[in-house]
Amino acid sequence: EAGVTQFPSHSVIEKGQTVTLRCDPISGHDNLYWYRRVMGKEIKFLLHFVKESKQDESGMPNNRFLAERTGGTYSTLKVQPAELEDSGVYFCASSQIQGAPAFFGQGTRLTVV
Amino acid sequence: TQLLEQSPQFLSIQEGENLTVYCNSSSVFSSLQWYRQEPGEGPVLLVTVVTGGEVKKLKRLTFQFGDARKDSSLHITAAQPGDTGLYLCAGTYKYIFGTGTRLKVLA
């Protein structure tokens, strides 16, 4: 069975551009989480989907970030327009039951220059 | 802001030694998770502890949840080079992660 997959693995964009990150959770996992690690800091929660609904988006930094999970399958996280401080590694995780993100993807390393 | 402080931040030990990593908070958590992360990979869940005072064992790893559910520890017996990695604790209140302990086990 495939694990959580994220695409792309790396992305380098210029400040002001738009980037869309994709996460494919493990099939059947209703819970999907996005996290971010900025260099030197701990992993920070961004938001949590239950199926297609946003259960908790309190960690989203600002309105330049938009997460969607249409149909309750894969999810996208769009950053528009990107700023330098958005650089970091974005992780996606999924779980069958709510409470703890059990399975993480390998992350997308975003660099904004 | 809820914080999970881990100590030590870095640890370098010889193969065969024992070690303990700590995860502390001023907040009560309904459960705590421990993960290990290797370079270029996402965190891998090792264990979830739920009940205050709970002890769970995973081969040479022993996890303990504090009685008040504010802290946890990870003890590794006879560490091996394969244990090298970043150890993270996380609490399910707002799904926050600890600051991490980077462990290196030398052969």
Side-chain angles (χ1 to χ4, degrees):
Chain A
E1 180 183 342
V4 177
T5 55
Q6 292 185 245
F7 182 83
S9 56
H10 294 84
S11 180
V12 181
I13 62 170
E14 291 184 350
K15 176 182 172 181
Q17 288 187 322
T18 297
V19 63
T20 300
L21 314 182
R22 173 170 169 144
C23 169
D24 285 76
I26 291 174
S27 178
H29 282 193
D30 289 340
N31 294 276
L32 186 150
Y33 310 81
W34 282 99
Y35 286 83
R36 175 174 75 172
R37 171 185 272 149
V38 172
M39 190 183 315
K41 304 282 188 180
E42 64 269 22
I43 296 174
K44 287 270 176 78
F45 167 78
L46 296 179
L47 88 160
H48 170 209
F49 282 100
V50 178
K51 296 186 180 178
E52 67 275 9
S53 300
K54 292 175 185 174
Q55 177 84 357
D56 184 344
E57 54 182 327
S58 61
M60 294 288 264
N62 50 61
N63 59 11
R64 295 185 293 102
F65 289 75
L66 175 64
E68 294 180 320
R69 193 182 181 196
T70 307
T73 54
Y74 70 91
S75 175
T76 58
L77 179 64
K78 182 162 71 174
V79 185
Q80 179 183 28
E83 298 288 344
L84 298 179
E85 64 265 25
D86 300 333
S87 296
V89 181
Y90 290 76
F91 291 103
C92 174
S94 73
S95 291
Q96 203 160 25
I97 60 173
Q98 190 169 334
F103 300 93
F104 277 78
Q106 83 282 7
T108 292
R109 181 173 294 278
L110 174 65
T111 303
V112 183
V113 297
Chain B
T1 303
Q2 308 291 336
L3 270 181
L4 277 169
E5 300 275 357
Q6 288 187 241
S7 60
Q9 194 174 356
F10 299 96
L11 189 56
S12 181
I13 61 171
Q14 293 291 324
E15 181 177 6
E17 291 184 359
N18 301 333
L19 67 116
T20 303
V21 173
Y22 300 92
C23 173
N24 295 294
S25 175
S26 57
S27 302
V28 175
F29 292 93
S30 58
S31 68
L32 253 166
Q33 289 74 44
W34 283 94
Y35 297 81
R36 185 171 77 196
Q37 185 180 15
E38 300 192 25
E41 302 291 330
V44 174
L45 180 65
L46 297 174
V47 77
T48 295
V49 285
V50 178
T51 307
E54 180 178 5
V55 176
K56 279 193 174 178
K57 291 196 174 187
L58 187 66
K59 295 184 182 177
R60 293 176 294 100
L61 278 59
T62 301
F63 304 86
Q64 185 160 10
F65 201 11
D67 291 340
R69 291 184 289 129
K70 293 183 179 181
D71 56 87
S72 181
S73 64
L74 158 60
H75 182 80
I76 301 180
T77 303
Q80 299 176 0
D83 296 327
T84 293
L86 176 67
Y87 288 82
L88 299 160
C89 64
T92 46
Y93 177 72
K94 291 296 187 181
Y95 317 110
I96 65 169
F97 272 80
T99 48
T101 292
R102 195 167 294 279
L103 171 66
K104 186 169 186 177
V105 182
L106 306 169

